[in-house]
Amino acid sequence: MSTEVKVPTLGESVSEATIGQWLKQPGEAVALDEPIASLETDKVAIEVNAPVAGVLAQQLAEVGATVTVNAVIATITAGAAAAAPAPAAAPAAAAVSAPAETGGEESSDPAVLSPAVRRAVLEYGIDPATIKGTGKDGRITKEDVVAAAKAKPASTGAAISVPAAVATNERREERVKMTRLRQTIAKRLKSAQENAALLTTFNDVDMSAVMEARNRFKDSFEKKHGVKLGFMSFFAKASVLALKDIPAVNAQIDGDEIVYHDYVDISVAVSAPSGLVVPVVRNVDKMSFADIEKSIANYGKAAKDGKLTMEDMKGGTFTISNGGVFGGLMSTPIINPPQSAVLGLHRIEDRPVVRNGQIVIRPMMYIALSYDHRIIDGREAVTALKTIKEAIEDPTRLLIDL
């Protein structure tokens, strides 16, 4: 007896998705509620779980196909039957590589490595057979290749399997379909540029006080709260001060009206295998440092594991994006519509500055505030960024709401 596998409810106002990856192939045994496919929506990846235990009989949609809610995408032969032979069309479907933006979770066979992993293997000169995959079902991810490259001795003398096209210096091109999430990101960012009057103001921050406080309390903080004390909680709390003082920075345009919020929901940009995502930490104005750090850590793990939900991404009144983790010195971040402002953080580096008439070395960070000039005046934007700067340079302000 065969059981149909249908596309589950995808979230409010979301009616279709794209088949991102098949996690099980025809003929393979599946357990009840075991993920058999990954769907990509406009915002997050959603796993489709097996409704019964048995053997995957058919895949009725190929990787990259668009499917709607309740559409039948596979069938499962219920029961503990032996693995059935795969249909003739299965090998073709199985050979489809994941899009480059997915982080490239695939097997170690060079013939079926995803484009992202294949490029990384060639770039770092790593034999994929020597890499232990940490992705689903032991698949190799791009991060696994990078980690293997860092652990690789300077010269191993090992022979590395290089595709013939590369060995003969043949020029190649590769065309990879954009994921649904990447397409949505592209549309939203372009829309923000077209519809908002974007402007960016900059400042620099002396991170000495925050770094000293973090180094002083990080061990006791982690011991008490079970989470590391990072810089994001300091900037989140500093942003709350700025947004409370300058309400326009926490507002948004709705038609011919401006909507002001008496709460602060901060979208925190984090990296996921399929691209940059911005889950929302809600009611930050009422949260402690530990609450903020725990929320961000949980979202970071969920993003890495592809477990973020539509509800996690919904809403947000302000965004913080930390390009510093990738080494960025300065940027002009783009707002996350319908929000009106985004704070960009960057790398910390020692620079000479003048203090009390003396040139000294301080750990400095450039910060940027991009904003919609339609509702936020330059004076307001500069004041908000200055408030954040002052709170970071003197964290005591965060305790006394100054």
Side-chain angles (χ1 to χ4, degrees):
M1 177 180 177
S2 294
T3 300
E4 295 179 338
V5 180
K6 298 183 178 181
V7 176
T9 301
L10 302 172
E12 184 179 354
S13 75
V14 180
S15 60
E16 62 180 25
T18 299
I19 302 290
Q21 185 180 11
W22 282 104
L23 306 177
K24 289 289 185 178
Q25 298 302 323
E28 292 184 346
V30 297
L32 176 64
D33 291 331
E34 182 180 9
I36 63 171
S38 175
L39 303 180
E40 296 174 357
T41 70
D42 291 344
K43 293 186 176 182
V44 295
I46 296 175
E47 290 183 340
V48 179
N49 298 327
V52 295
V55 173
L56 184 64
Q58 293 178 294
Q59 294 173 348
L60 302 179
E62 296 182 354
V63 170
T66 298
V67 293
T68 58
V69 174
N70 290 326
V72 178
I73 60 173
T75 59
I76 294 176
T77 301
V96 179
S97 296
E101 291 84 3
T102 64
E105 293 188 359
E106 280 292 346
S107 74
S108 61
D109 183 349
V112 296
L113 291 175
S114 75
V117 172
R118 206 157 51 234
R119 283 194 292 270
V121 165
L122 296 176
E123 177 182 352
Y124 292 103
I126 301 294
D127 184 352
T130 65
I131 302 174
K132 181 178 180 181
T134 61
K136 189 178 294 295
D137 296 329
R139 294 176 176 87
I140 294 176
T141 68
K142 182 179 179 180
E143 290 74 19
D144 295 332
V145 179
V146 174
K150 290 180 179 179
K152 176 185 174 185
S155 177
T156 61
I160 299 174
S161 176
V162 179
V166 176
T168 59
N169 294 321
E170 178 183 338
R171 288 160 57 90
R172 301 175 61 212
E173 291 183 353
E174 185 173 28
R175 192 176 294 268
V176 179
K177 183 178 177 62
M178 293 173 68
T179 63
R180 179 177 291 269
L181 174 59
R182 178 55 60 185
Q183 293 179 51
T184 301
I185 291 173
K187 291 177 182 177
R188 287 175 61 83
L189 293 180
K190 187 59 179 176
S191 175
Q193 287 186 317
E194 293 176 345
N195 298 324
L198 292 180
L199 192 61
T200 304
T201 184
F202 298 92
N203 215 318
D204 60 357
V205 177
D206 186 340
M207 296 292 292
S208 299
V210 165
M211 293 177 70
E212 181 182 353
R214 181 171 177 266
N215 289 334
R216 181 179 177 186
F217 297 112
K218 64 180 182 181
D219 293 336
S220 55
F221 185 91
E222 184 173 5
K223 182 178 180 180
K224 179 176 180 179
H225 301 292
V227 66
K228 293 182 178 179
L229 176 60
F231 294 130
M232 284 297 289
S233 53
F234 286 93
F235 279 100
K237 298 290 281 187
S239 296
V240 168
L241 290 182
L243 300 180
K244 291 294 186 179
D245 287 347
I246 314 294
V249 183
N250 196 42
Q252 66 185 56
I253 293 178
D254 184 10
D256 59 357
E257 297 178 331
I258 298 176
V259 180
Y260 293 94
H261 307 100
D262 68 350
Y263 53 88
V264 178
D265 289 352
I266 297 182
S267 302
V268 180
V270 297
S271 292
S274 53
L276 195 68
V277 292
V278 280
V280 181
V281 182
R282 306 184 195 281
N283 298 312
V284 179
D285 48 320
K286 295 180 173 62
M287 298 176 74
S288 66
F289 277 74
D291 292 334
I292 295 172
E293 292 292 355
K294 288 177 182 178
S295 294
I296 294 175
N298 290 338
Y299 278 141
K301 184 178 186 304
K304 182 178 180 181
D305 296 341
K307 300 294 185 181
L308 286 176
T309 67
M310 298 292 288
E311 190 62 28
D312 293 334
M313 316 282 285
K314 186 177 178 181
T317 62
F318 183 73
T319 293
I320 299 179
S321 179
N322 186 5
V325 297
F326 304 110
L329 176 64
M330 186 178 292
S331 67
T332 55
I334 300 177
I335 63 173
N336 179 24
Q339 298 172 21
S340 299
V342 52
L343 175 67
L345 310 182
H346 303 92
R347 76 170 184 252
I348 302 170
E349 64 177 10
D350 289 340
R351 291 200 294 269
V353 295
V354 177
R355 295 289 185 266
N356 300 319
Q358 300 294 319
I359 298 178
V360 295
I361 302 298
R362 292 287 187 269
M364 303 297 294
M365 175 197 288
Y366 288 118
I367 57 176
L369 184 73
S370 290
Y371 58 98
D372 189 343
H373 211 347
R374 292 179 299 170
I375 64 171
I376 302 173
D377 295 331
R379 175 183 61 83
E380 294 175 314
V382 170
T383 301
L385 196 61
K386 184 171 178 287
T387 299
I388 294 172
K389 167 186 169 70
E390 292 174 344
I392 295 299
E393 292 185 337
D394 185 4
T396 305
R397 291 173 175 266
L398 299 177
L399 301 178
I400 60 178
D401 192 18
L402 183 61

